[in-house]
């Protein structure tokens, strides 16, 4: 009986066990699913799933899960979630989740929805915070493992950023949430997407639920690779070693440490600017970010300053699908706004300037500031630093949202320019057309800028900045290619002026300017106005009356070169006015006054070691059959002044010759020399009328030609016309080298001044015709006539004379014309021919009949390069 009873009981138990095996999972599924829905609802999440099943009542599988958090702009889809629960918790009718495994989670965060600031809890009158939401969600903290997931940050339909992970472990306890795994971040906006590289890192983070304190670090997956390594061709680069973050959500304080920060703007070889720092701290306190850089190094390349506008235009002009926000600001406004909302501090900052080298891709780096410490906050900047044995201080105050400071003070005290790190010790030995070299001397300067207080009566009626500057340069040295052939030393000057800046008019005026250069006192004033629409520059300078000799001797000896001992008579008080609409150079105005006929050079006194070595004077008596040459009565060393121009001499040409094997000599001592009076009048006339209309009345320097040169060169944006007179061009051939330096132009002017006073115009024109270049190794009118026309220069026709005169700007052009066998039939050449014949006719150097007889104005050569003279049936027998 007992056995039977036991068997019945066992059967009943087995029945209920089998029944429980089928019924319990169904009951548990309902309980767990209901508990999950209730918890998610309390947390403010809208969640739904397509499938829910259990595994023996201990774990549960959710498939195709959709999660929405409307007040945060979050939408997510998860392929599968495995939830493991505690069986014991089922007896207490309260589900305890032990672990969660998430597979293939894809979330989308719309920042427009986040920015709106409207939350469902707020709408219901219940304050909602991230911490309370998280606390409700973590009533029973599980272990969470994420296998494959991503978060896309979007704005509307446009994707901005994608963060993803392949394997991450999330550990939850009652007090802490921690995360360890891998993280990949990819920028998606058009500009950032060009970098072509995502951030691949390992991430370690923890969140203390009690103190709401966050600790996080991001380190590159590859030990030798920076965390961030972005490089956009031609635009710039960004590199970051590691990131560390500490944040306190209760006090709303956060600090981020950046190791090895490197930023570049512009191309790699010649960037606009660079910044490198071993450590950068970014802090967020009381609603304001603060950035501190320690031992950083910044560099700028002034020659690349135009790159700012190019890069900004390049990016803003490109089509992009990202919708701009309303109330857009300019780049300057954005930078100003950033500076106003962020606190900056820098310690041990070094500032370099990159100077370009035209002979290579290398940059010469000058360290203008060896160390500077300072802060910038709420629009205020204070900085103190050292450089080259001197000190400087900067104080600036800018109102929020404004790019122009309301107050600026800069003081520089005794900076020794020669000791600036990186300053060249001398000029390069390579030939250069630029201004490479060095600058030395002790510099002190001060600048003060201030505007009326905002809202004051003065500010409303007269919103203009006022200020002043003062510069002192002592023991100055300038050793620059393009300035002089030798170093300029002993420079000392000071300058000061007041200025007024009127923003509404876009006008900067300089007032009461004074320049003291030894005995020379100069007063100046000027302005720059309408610099946005039609920038216009004006300056007027006046020199106080001074002896001409003292004024010239105040210049560094290197500027005067061989003529450093020049002597002058008289006193002068010159003045100059210069007016230039920068975009309308044809409206340029240049006026000189108070220099003509007041100073007279009386002697050059060229030192023996500086006299021209390539000139050999053949006789002491004046030469030349024409009556213009008069006895000069000069008794000193013949090459110490300009009087040898009246004597027979031979000048060996050393520049412009094709090879060392070719030797070219010019001058009255040569058999090929042709006196002016032996030439037809139209030969000399064409020579000077094509270069200098007022040759016989100009004082060796033509203000009109200088104006013309400025206009043409500014219009073309490059050097296309020199503006030299006939006298100056002769000086280039007989006295000076062809190097284009400021010192050579000054020496050229002094020589022209001296020659005009001592040598007749006819003699200057005669030497000019016989010494200038007309073709490759063709110097002088005699050899030119034989080369081009196989005739003596005395027999040149007006058309042939004009042809030779038109070759002077570019002597090599003549050979190309012969190769083409005919001069151009129209265009500039034909118009210039008409103009030259008109000038000769106007000066009575030819007759109207001669003009008609020369038409059409065409010259021809045969296939052998021999001239075809249309007026003769037989070609001259002189060799070509």
């Amino acid at each position: 009986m007992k056995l039977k009873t036991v068997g019945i009981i066992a059967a009943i138990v087995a029945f209920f066990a089998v029944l429980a095996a089928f019924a319990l999972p169904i009951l548990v599924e309902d309980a767990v699913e209901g508990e999950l829905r209730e918890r998610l609802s309390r947390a403010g999440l809208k969640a739904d799933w397509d499938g829910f099943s259990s595994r023996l009542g201990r774990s549960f599988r959710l498939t195709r899960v959709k999660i929405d958090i409307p007040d945060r702009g979050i939408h997510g889809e998860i392929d599968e979630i495995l939830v493991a629960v505690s069986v014991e918790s089922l007896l207490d009718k309260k589900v305890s989740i032990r672990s969660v495994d998430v597979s293939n989670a894809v979330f989308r965060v719309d920042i427009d929805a986040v920015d709106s600031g409207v939350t469902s809890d707020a709408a219901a009158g219940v304050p909602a915070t991230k911490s309370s939401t998280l606390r409700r969600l973590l009533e029973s903290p599980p272990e969470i493992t994420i296998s494959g997931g991503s978060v896309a940050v979007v704005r509307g339909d446009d994707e901005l950023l994608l963060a993803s992970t392949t394997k991450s472990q999330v550990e939850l306890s009652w007090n802490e949430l921690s995360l360890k795994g891998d993280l990949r971040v990819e920028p998606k906006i058009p500009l950032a997407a060009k970098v072509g590289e995502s951030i691949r890192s390992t991430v370690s983070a923890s969140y203390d639920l009690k103190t709401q304190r966050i600790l996080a670090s991001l380190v590159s997956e590859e030990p030798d690779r920076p965390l961030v390594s972005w490089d956009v061709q031609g635009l710039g680069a960004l590199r970051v070693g590691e990131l560390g973050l500490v944040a306190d959500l209760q006090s709303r304080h956060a600090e981020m440490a950046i190791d090895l920060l490197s930023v570049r703007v512009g191309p790699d070889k010649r960037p606009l600017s660079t910044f490198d720092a071993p450590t950068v701290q970014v802090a967020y306190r009381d609603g304001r970010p603060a950035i501190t850089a320690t031992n950083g190094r910044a560099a700028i390349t002034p020659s690349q300053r135009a790159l700012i506008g190019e890069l900004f235009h390049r990016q803003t002009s490109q089509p992009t699908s990202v919708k701009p926000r309303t109330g857009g600001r300019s780049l300057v406004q954005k930078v100003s706004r950033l500076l106003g909302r962020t606190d900056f501090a820098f310690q041990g900052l070094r500032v370099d300037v990159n100077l370009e080298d035209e002979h290579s891709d290398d940059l010469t780096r000058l360290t203008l500031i060896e160390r500077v410490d300072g802060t910038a906050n709420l629009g205020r900047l204070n900085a103190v630093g050292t450089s080259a044995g001197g000190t400087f201080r900067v104080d600036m105050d800018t109102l929020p949202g404004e790019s122009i400071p309301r107050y600026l003070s800069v003081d520089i005290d005794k900076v020794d320019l020669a000791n600036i790190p990186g300053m060249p010790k001398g000029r390069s030995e390579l030939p250069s057309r630029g201004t490479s070299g060095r600058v030395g001397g002790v510099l002190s300067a001060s600048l003060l800028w201030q505007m009326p207080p905002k809202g004051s009566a003065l500010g409303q009626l007269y919103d203009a900045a006022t200020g002043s500057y003062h510069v002192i340069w002592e023991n100055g040295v300038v050793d620059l290619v393009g300035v002089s052939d030798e170093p300029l030393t002993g420079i000392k000057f000071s300058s000061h002026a007041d200025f007024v800046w009127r923003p509404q008019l876009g006008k900067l005026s300089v007032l009461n300017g004074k320049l003291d250069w030894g005995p020379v006192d100069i007063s100046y004033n000027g302005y720059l106005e309408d610099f946005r629409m039609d920038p216009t520059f004006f300056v007027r300078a006046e020199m106080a009356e001074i002896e001409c000799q003292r004024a010239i001797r105040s210049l560094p000896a290197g500027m005067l070169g061989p003529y450093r001992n020049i002597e002058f008579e008289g006193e002068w008080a010159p003045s100059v006015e210069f007016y230039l609409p920068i975009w309308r150079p044809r409206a340029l105005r240049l006026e000189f006054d108070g220099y003509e006929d007041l100073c007279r050079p009386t002697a050059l006194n060229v030192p023996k070691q500086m006299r021209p070595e390539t000139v050999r004077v053949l006789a002491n008596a004046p030469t030349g059959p024409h009556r213009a040459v008069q006895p000069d009565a000069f008794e000193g060393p013949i090459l110490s002044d300009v009087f040898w121009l009246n004597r027979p001499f031979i000048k060996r040409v050393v520049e412009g010759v094709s090879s060392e094997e070719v030797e070219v000599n010019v001058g009255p001592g040569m058999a090929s020399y042709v006196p002016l009076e032996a030439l037809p009048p139209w030969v000399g006339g064409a020579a000077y009328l094509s270069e200098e209309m007022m040759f016989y009345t100009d004082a060796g320097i033509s203000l009109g030609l200088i104006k013309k040169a400025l206009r043409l060169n500014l219009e073309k944006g490059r050097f296309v016309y020199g503006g030299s007179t006939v006298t100056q061009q002769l000086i280039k051939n007989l006295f000076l080298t062809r190097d284009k330096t400021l010192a050579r132009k000054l020496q050229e002017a002094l020589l022209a001044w001296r020659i005009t006073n001592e040598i007749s115009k006819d003699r200057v024109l005669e030497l000019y015709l016989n010494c200038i270049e007309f073709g490759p190794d063709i110097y002088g009118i005699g050899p030119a006539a034989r080369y081009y026309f196989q005739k003596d220069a005395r027999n040149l026709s007006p058309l042939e004379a004009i042809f030779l005169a038109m070759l002077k700007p570019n002597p090599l052009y003549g050979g190309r014309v012969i190769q083409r066998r005919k001069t151009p039939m129209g265009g500039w050449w034909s118009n210039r021919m008409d103009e030259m014949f008109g000038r000769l006719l106007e000066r009575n150097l030819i007759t109207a009949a001669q003009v008609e007889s020369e038409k059409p104005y065409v010259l021809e050569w045969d296939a052998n390069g021999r001239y075809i003279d249309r007026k003769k049936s037989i070609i001259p027998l002189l060799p070509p």
Side-chain angles (χ1 to χ4, degrees):
M1 182 64 184
K2 289 183 178 179
L3 291 174
K4 186 177 181 180
T5 303
V6 171
I8 293 173
I9 293 173
I12 293 173
V13 170
F15 172 78
F16 277 105
V18 173
L19 181 64
F22 287 96
L24 185 59
I26 298 175
L27 296 175
V28 172
E29 283 182 17
D30 292 339
V32 172
E33 186 174 13
E35 179 71 13
L36 288 175
R37 291 187 184 278
E38 182 181 352
R39 288 191 186 188
L40 293 172
S41 178
R42 291 201 310 267
L45 279 72
K46 295 180 179 180
D48 198 5
W49 43 82
D50 293 346
F52 188 90
S53 60
S54 68
R55 296 182 179 181
L56 299 178
R58 301 178 65 89
S59 64
F60 301 87
R61 180 170 177 264
L62 291 79
T63 58
R64 293 184 293 280
V65 181
K66 297 181 179 180
I67 298 176
D68 288 294
I69 310 177
D71 56 352
R72 300 295 173 189
I74 299 175
H75 171 75
E77 296 184 2
I78 305 173
D79 286 352
E80 181 183 78
I81 302 177
L82 293 179
V83 181
V85 301
S86 172
V87 176
E88 294 82 359
S89 68
L90 299 178
L91 301 177
D92 297 334
K93 298 181 180 180
K94 186 173 183 179
V95 178
S96 176
I97 302 174
R98 302 183 65 176
S99 66
V100 177
D101 292 334
V102 179
S103 299
N104 299 325
V106 179
F107 280 84
R108 190 178 179 89
V109 181
D110 192 335
I111 61 174
D112 278 344
V114 176
D115 288 345
S116 66
V118 178
T119 67
S120 57
D121 289 341
V126 179
T129 65
K130 295 179 181 178
S131 59
S132 64
T133 300
L134 184 60
R135 195 177 295 113
R136 290 197 304 268
L137 185 62
L138 302 177
E139 291 176 355
S140 299
E143 293 183 359
I144 301 177
T145 301
I146 301 173
S147 300
S150 65
V151 176
V153 180
V154 303
R155 174 181 289 166
D157 296 330
D158 301 306
E159 193 173 12
L160 307 180
L161 184 74
L162 179 64
S164 59
T165 181
T166 57
K167 187 74 173 180
S168 295
Q169 183 72 35
V170 180
E171 295 182 1
L172 293 172
S173 67
W174 287 103
N175 295 326
E176 187 178 73
L177 179 152
S178 63
L179 168 67
K180 292 183 179 180
D182 63 277
L183 178 65
R184 178 174 179 174
V185 179
E186 299 177 77
K188 293 296 184 179
I189 58 177
L191 173 59
K194 290 183 179 180
V195 300
E197 296 185 9
S198 59
I199 300 175
R200 296 178 175 87
S201 67
T202 59
V203 60
S204 177
S206 65
Y207 174 56
D208 192 307
L209 300 179
K210 280 188 174 181
T211 62
Q212 298 186 38
R213 186 178 177 84
I214 298 175
L215 299 176
S217 67
L218 275 75
V219 182
S220 174
E221 291 181 339
E222 304 175 27
D224 298 331
R225 176 188 173 89
L227 175 66
V228 178
S229 181
W230 292 350
D231 198 336
V232 183
Q233 182 67 30
L235 179 61
L238 171 66
R239 283 172 175 77
V240 177
E242 298 180 7
L243 287 180
L245 174 67
V246 178
D248 189 327
L249 298 184
Q250 286 186 343
S251 61
R252 300 186 64 190
H253 288 180
E255 292 185 6
M256 181 172 62
I258 303 175
D259 288 343
L260 301 175
L261 175 65
S262 177
V263 182
R264 186 191 80 237
V265 179
D268 183 29
K269 291 292 185 181
R270 298 176 184 267
L272 168 68
S273 63
T274 59
F275 177 78
D276 301 278
T279 59
V280 174
Q281 299 287 332
V282 181
Y284 185 84
R285 297 185 181 90
D286 302 323
R288 284 183 63 85
I291 300 176
T292 302
T294 304
N295 297 328
R297 182 169 180 173
I300 59 173
T301 309
S303 61
Q304 297 289 86
R305 59 190 178 275
L307 188 63
I308 296 178
E310 293 177 8
L311 292 178
F312 181 64
H313 175 72
R314 185 190 310 170
Q315 301 309 324
T316 55
S317 61
Q318 288 180 347
T320 174
S321 59
V322 179
K323 300 173 184 177
R325 291 174 176 266
T326 57
R329 299 178 177 88
S330 68
L331 180 63
V332 174
Q333 290 173 326
K334 289 179 180 179
V335 173
S336 177
R337 189 167 180 261
L338 174 64
L339 295 176
R341 293 190 173 189
T342 307
D343 297 336
F344 293 90
F346 38 92
Q347 299 174 355
L349 178 64
R350 173 175 170 172
V351 181
D352 297 336
V353 172
N354 297 322
L355 302 179
E356 295 198 51
D357 186 346
E358 63 177 309
H359 302 292
S360 69
D361 291 334
D362 297 332
L363 295 173
T364 299
R365 177 164 290 188
L366 301 183
T367 302
L368 289 189
I369 299 175
E370 296 178 71
R371 178 186 177 90
V372 59
D373 303 328
T375 60
N377 56 72
L378 296 174
R380 296 186 181 91
L381 170 66
N382 303 101
V384 294
T386 59
S387 181
T391 61
F392 68 91
R393 182 180 185 89
V394 179
D395 297 296
M396 185 175 71
D397 189 359
T398 304
L399 291 180
E402 292 191 0
S403 57
I404 300 176
R406 307 297 293 184
Y407 174 83
L408 174 63
S409 174
V410 179
D411 287 295
I412 301 173
D413 186 39
K414 297 188 180 305
V415 173
D416 192 342
L417 302 178
N419 291 329
I420 292 178
M423 178 69 74
K425 300 306 178 184
R427 66 180 67 188
S428 171
E429 296 298 326
L430 296 173
S432 175
R433 292 173 295 175
T435 55
S436 61
R438 65 188 178 99
V439 177
V442 179
L443 179 67
S444 298
S446 63
L447 170 68
L448 178 63
W449 163 293
Q450 53 189 351
M451 298 186 75
K454 203 72 172 178
S456 67
L458 180 60
Q460 293 174 357
L461 297 176
Y462 192 70
D463 190 9
T466 59
S468 61
Y469 63 83
H470 194 175
V471 179
I472 300 176
W473 189 12
E474 300 175 293
N475 300 321
V477 176
V478 176
D479 189 10
L480 297 175
V481 175
V483 174
S484 62
D485 295 331
E486 58 182 289
L488 309 180
T489 60
I491 300 173
K492 180 179 180 179
F493 80 84
S494 66
S495 178
H496 66 272
D498 302 323
F499 61 82
V500 178
W501 162 247
R502 294 181 175 86
Q504 294 180 351
L505 300 178
K507 184 174 184 178
L508 175 65
S509 301
V510 176
L511 311 171
N512 307 318
K514 295 288 184 182
L515 173 64
D516 297 327
W517 183 299
V520 177
D521 294 326
I522 299 175
S523 302
Y524 61 91
N525 59 76
Y527 61 81
L528 175 63
E529 66 177 354
D530 202 9
F531 63 92
R532 291 178 180 174
M533 302 298 295
D534 184 19
T536 301
F537 175 76
F538 171 81
V539 64
R540 176 175 175 80
E542 299 178 353
M543 182 189 296
E545 188 173 69
I546 186 175
E547 293 179 355
C548 301
Q549 185 68 23
R550 293 188 67 199
I552 294 297
R553 290 292 174 86
S554 69
L555 297 173
M559 290 294 291
L560 299 175
Y563 313 106
R564 61 193 64 197
N565 297 326
I566 190 171
E567 295 181 9
F568 273 88
E569 289 181 350
E571 296 183 351
W572 66 343
S575 64
V576 61
E577 278 192 6
F578 182 67
Y579 171 85
L580 173 63
I582 295 175
W583 294 344
R584 297 180 292 112
R586 284 190 176 275
L588 177 146
R589 190 170 69 245
L590 179 64
E591 300 294 338
F592 285 96
D593 190 23
Y595 76 99
E596 292 182 344
D597 302 326
L598 298 177
C599 285
R600 193 174 77 87
T602 57
L604 291 184
N605 297 324
V606 179
K608 183 177 181 180
Q609 67 274 16
M610 293 185 176
R611 294 168 190 166
E613 299 177 354
T614 58
V615 174
R616 181 163 55 96
V617 180
L618 304 180
N620 291 326
T623 62
H626 55 82
R627 293 184 298 275
V629 175
Q630 300 294 331
D632 48 50
F634 182 72
E635 298 179 355
I638 193 62
L639 291 178
S640 67
D641 214 309
V642 300
F643 295 102
W644 57 272
L645 296 178
N646 280 334
R647 319 272 176 109
F649 66 86
I650 295 177
K651 158 77 174 178
R652 179 166 53 88
V653 178
V654 295
E655 291 188 338
V657 180
S658 59
S659 67
E660 295 181 359
E661 288 74 23
V662 177
E663 182 172 331
V664 177
N665 294 306
V666 299
M670 299 295 298
S672 60
Y673 187 87
V674 184
L676 181 64
E677 66 180 20
L679 293 167
W682 50 78
V683 175
Y688 80 81
L689 289 175
S690 62
E691 297 289 332
E692 181 187 3
M693 295 280 289
M694 307 302 294
F695 165 70
Y696 277 94
T697 56
D698 280 338
I701 303 172
S702 172
L703 182 59
L705 292 181
I706 295 175
K707 293 179 184 178
K708 180 181 177 181
L710 287 172
R711 291 191 187 104
L712 290 176
N713 295 334
L714 288 170
E715 283 180 348
K716 301 297 183 180
R718 57 189 175 89
F719 184 85
V720 295
Y721 181 67
S724 297
T725 63
V726 168
T727 306
Q728 288 175 289
Q729 293 183 50
L730 176 64
I731 290 168
K732 293 176 189 177
N733 284 270
L734 297 183
F735 287 85
L736 304 172
T737 65
R738 300 187 182 185
D739 292 336
K740 292 180 172 63
T741 65
L742 294 176
R744 193 191 62 77
K745 292 299 291 185
L746 174 62
Q747 295 164 25
E748 183 183 290
L750 293 176
L751 279 169
W753 209 344
R754 176 64 171 159
I755 288 174
T756 301
N757 278 273
E758 301 297 338
I759 308 298
S760 71
K761 290 288 186 177
D762 283 349
R763 181 65 168 180
V764 170
L765 182 58
E766 179 180 291
L767 292 172
Y768 175 77
L769 283 168
N770 283 275
C771 296
I772 63 170
E773 187 178 12
F774 287 93
D777 301 333
I778 308 299
Y779 286 82
I781 192 69
R786 290 177 176 272
Y787 176 77
Y788 289 104
F789 307 118
Q790 296 84 56
K791 65 170 59 175
D792 191 284
R794 297 169 178 81
N795 299 322
L796 287 171
S797 70
L799 181 59
E800 294 160 352
I802 292 175
F803 170 84
L804 293 177
M806 290 172 61
L807 293 181
K808 292 195 300 296
N810 184 11
L812 299 180
Y813 183 70
R816 294 196 290 269
V817 171
I818 293 177
Q819 290 178 353
R820 291 196 294 262
R821 300 174 59 180
K822 182 183 291 188
T823 56
M825 296 293 292
W828 173 86
W829 184 272
S830 179
N831 294 335
R832 182 65 168 167
M833 280 283 184
D834 285 333
E835 182 181 20
M836 288 302 302
F837 272 105
R839 292 181 180 181
L840 290 173
L841 183 62
E842 181 182 350
R843 300 297 177 95
N844 296 320
L845 297 175
I846 58 175
T847 64
Q850 287 176 305
V851 173
E852 290 300 320
S853 68
E854 295 284 7
K855 292 180 179 180
Y857 304 143
V858 178
L859 299 170
E860 297 182 81
W861 290 263
D862 64 17
N864 297 319
R866 295 179 65 85
Y867 176 55
I868 301 175
D869 193 338
R870 292 184 288 110
K871 295 185 178 181
K872 295 184 179 181
S873 58
I874 301 176
I875 298 177
L877 297 179
L878 291 174

